[in-house]
Amino acid sequence: MTPLRSRPARCRTAVLRRGAVLATVPVVLAALVGATGPTAAGGSGAGDPYFPLSGNGGYHVRHYDLTLRYDTSSRHLDGRAVLDSRATQDLSRFDLDLTGLKVTGVTVDGTRAAFRRDGQELVVTPRHTLRAGRDFRVTVTYDGTPKPVTDPDGSTDGWIPTDDGAFVAGEPQGAMTWFPANGHPKDKSSYDITITVPQGRTAVSNGVLLGQRTEHGRTTFRWRESRPMAAYLATATVGTFKVEQYTTADGIHVYNAVDPREASAAAPVLKQLPSVLAWASRLFGPYPFRSAGSIVDHAPDVGYALEAQTRPLYDSAPDLSTLVHESAHQWFGDSVSLTAWKDIWLNEGFATYAEWLYAEQHGGDSAQKTFDALYAHPASDHLWAFPPGDPGSGRNIFDTPVYARGAMTLHELRRAVGDPDFFRILRAWAAAHRDGHGTTAQFERLAGRISGKRLDGLFRVWLFTEGKPKDA
Ligand code: TRP
Ligand code: ZN
């Protein structure tokens, strides 16, 4: 294992998205008006300073029903999204996140609603104000050529076309490139995703495959994820794939889709999936979902993998360590979601530490050895550029300090409380926040409660203090 490898092949050039800074001011104003004015508008964001326009205020989406048709040669997408939602305040209007694409119609409870586009916001004004607590159904029809978004760190995410389809990875904000979303992990929903593609191509999404049917040269795949899922973890990846399906001894339905160009490299690693999930279940508690699997695409320009819920997505054949990482995210990141992107170490530090634990328990380096190798990096090293509990901006959320120093934080915790309490803490965390959310402060409190130790110094130093921690 090369300890300093951060998960993605990083591109550190900071590219500020067009208008990102200027957009902040109207957002704040809109939020104030929404809270105090007579208009009862839902907010244009979920209140996350790293991605101020991600997500929306004023309603919760309980279920998305997406019906998509993708033409792999013209790269045209036709979509219909039905969002079963609940107002959490009176709503005279509300926003959805959607970028690019053309909206051809919006209805609320079957009645045509007015809409306008404002950057990544699709602003919907229903005929009548929706009262707080009310359930309502929004239907949006749209089409066009989806394009990925460029994130503050220069990476792209969302609907990324490939030579045989599309690699669809929405972290942190790419869901809006292919469906109208309440696109912040604060809002979790169940999903039905139906995708029609040219015959011979396969469309892979989350959860279980309810059915597939070929007609007039096109195949329709019907997928369902019934456990709550953040929008960024939804996928609808399309390509030429070899498919393998089986049920594990634990009753988990596995669906693997592999680009033939990656098949020989992927096979020995994917074979380990049941044993990796069984191993992780012993350490972290029961696997949080009923289905599992992998999508191994050939998308050489992407440069990262994504822990799509139930079905991690790889841009090429993963190594075993990456498979372990994305598998661990099913507990840490997918089942237990972030409430703010600044807490990203709860995802990446945990998944990275799972890699260390896996190595330690399978004849590789001990976690202590991996920790020591990292700690040997001089104070000037990029590893110590910022503390993982406070990455400072969306530009840093997938950078080395989050992954490596985040994992080091867990190792320090383990040394402070001892193995039995450490693994009790991890299991209690996954169990208490299953299908929900967690914050760094909650994790700190849980660790303190279970161990009976004062851990605030440890967390303060490792998560929140600039520079290389003094004594390890
Ligand atoms: N969460 C992914 C992982 O750790 C990495 C990732 C997803 C990513 N989207 C990204 C990295 C965008 C950089 C840019 O496995
Ligand atoms: Zn990760």
Side-chain angles (χ1 to χ4, degrees):
M1 163 177 319
T2 23
L4 245 193
R5 178 176 51 114
S6 59
R7 177 59 36 217
R10 302 292 324 126
C11 160
R12 287 219 187 88
T13 1
V15 182
L16 252 191
R17 252 180 327 108
R18 253 178 312 124
V21 171
L22 284 177
T24 320
V25 174
V27 173
V28 171
L29 287 177
L32 288 174
V33 171
T36 58
T39 58
S44 59
D48 194 313
Y50 286 12
F51 298 96
L53 294 174
S54 281
N56 302 285
Y59 66 96
H60 157 58
V61 182
R62 295 140 64 98
H63 183 77
Y64 290 86
D65 193 338
L66 308 179
T67 308
L68 310 171
R69 181 186 171 112
Y70 190 57
D71 186 330
T72 47
S73 47
S74 69
R75 298 186 167 177
H76 189 88
L77 179 74
D78 278 294
R80 191 175 80 111
V82 180
L83 283 62
D84 283 323
S85 307
R86 172 166 293 179
T88 55
Q89 63 168 68
D90 287 355
L91 282 177
S92 58
R93 63 176 162 84
F94 59 89
D95 283 17
L96 292 163
D97 298 328
L98 185 71
T99 180
L101 306 171
K102 179 172 157 45
V103 174
T104 52
V106 178
T107 66
V108 173
D109 290 333
T111 302
R112 268 166 35 121
F115 65 89
R116 66 182 162 83
R117 307 293 295 272
D118 180 8
Q120 70 177 63
E121 304 299 306
L122 168 61
V123 183
V124 177
T125 306
R127 188 78 65 82
H128 304 288
T129 293
L130 302 160
R131 293 294 162 208
R134 180 151 152 356
D135 288 330
F136 64 101
R137 169 174 286 187
V138 189
T139 302
V140 180
T141 49
Y142 58 100
D143 73 273
T145 308
K147 286 185 191 59
V149 279
T150 301
D151 293 313
D153 66 356
S155 59
T156 53
D157 73 290
W159 191 282
I160 304 173
T162 58
D163 58 4
D164 61 355
F167 181 93
V168 183
E171 191 183 22
Q173 48 171 356
M176 64 181 175
T177 67
W178 61 282
F179 66 97
N182 194 351
H184 189 278
K186 265 187 183 172
D187 206 48
K188 297 176 73 165
S189 323
S190 54
Y191 284 74
D192 275 297
I193 302 181
T194 300
I195 318 146
T196 301
V197 293
Q199 185 174 357
R201 303 294 157 95
T202 300
V204 193
S205 184
N206 316 84
V208 291
L209 180 63
L210 297 179
Q212 110 183 32
R213 178 170 150 170
T214 301
E215 246 176 22
H216 310 305
R218 296 187 179 268
T219 307
T220 298
F221 296 82
R222 289 190 301 127
W223 293 94
R224 173 172 293 163
E225 172 54 13
S226 38
R227 307 236 60 103
M229 174 166 80
Y232 78 88
L233 297 170
T235 189
T237 294
V238 178
T240 305
F241 295 128
K242 292 186 181 180
V243 170
E244 164 194 43
Q245 298 186 72
Y246 58 88
T247 302
T248 69
D250 298 329
I252 300 165
H253 301 292
V254 175
Y255 185 104
N256 288 329
V258 181
D259 187 303
R261 291 167 287 186
E262 302 290 336
S264 62
V269 178
L270 294 195
K271 220 174 66 195
Q272 302 287 326
L273 179 62
S275 71
V276 167
L277 294 180
W279 168 81
S281 303
R282 285 195 297 277
L283 246 54
F284 309 142
Y287 180 67
F289 309 115
R290 289 290 309 276
S291 38
S294 328
I295 308 169
V296 182
D297 205 343
H298 178 77
D301 296 338
V302 171
Y304 59 82
L306 173 70
E307 61 271 24
Q309 187 156 309
T310 70
R311 197 149 292 118
L313 176 58
Y314 304 94
D315 64 344
S316 62
D319 57 18
L320 185 55
S321 198
T322 305
L323 183 92
V324 169
H325 180 106
E326 306 307 337
S327 297
H329 271 311
Q330 302 303 310
W331 284 259
F332 308 115
D334 291 9
S335 174
V336 182
S337 293
L338 303 177
T339 53
W341 286 108
K342 70 167 166 43
D343 286 342
I344 185 71
W345 84 280
L346 291 172
N347 292 8
E348 302 305 347
F350 282 54
T352 301
Y353 198 63
E355 294 178 61
W356 301 8
L357 290 168
Y358 188 88
E360 172 172 289
Q361 298 183 17
H362 293 83
D365 289 347
S366 67
Q368 184 62 50
K369 190 170 172 195
T370 306
F371 178 98
D372 290 342
L374 284 167
Y375 193 73
H377 287 253
S380 59
D381 194 277
H382 183 69
L383 169 61
W384 315 112
F386 59 86
D390 187 11
S393 92
R395 174 158 39 91
N396 293 338
I397 60 176
F398 300 118
D399 207 351
T400 306
V402 170
Y403 286 71
R405 184 167 161 182
M408 295 176 86
T409 303
L410 287 177
H411 189 70
E412 283 291 274
L413 173 64
R414 179 181 174 193
R415 290 214 309 190
V417 303
D419 277 15
D421 274 356
F422 177 70
F423 289 106
R424 243 175 240 138
I425 291 165
L426 292 187
R427 277 192 292 273
W429 179 247
H433 300 272
R434 183 173 177 162
D435 285 337
H437 296 89
T439 66
T440 298
Q442 287 171 330
F443 181 74
E444 290 186 28
R445 278 199 296 278
L446 180 77
R449 203 179 327 126
I450 289 179
S451 66
K453 294 212 156 75
R454 286 215 58 153
L455 299 166
D456 26 329
L458 185 158
F459 287 120
R460 191 181 347 101
V461 168
W462 279 90
L463 289 179
F464 296 110
T465 305
E466 296 282 343
K468 179 175 175 176
K470 290 257 158 17
D471 62 313

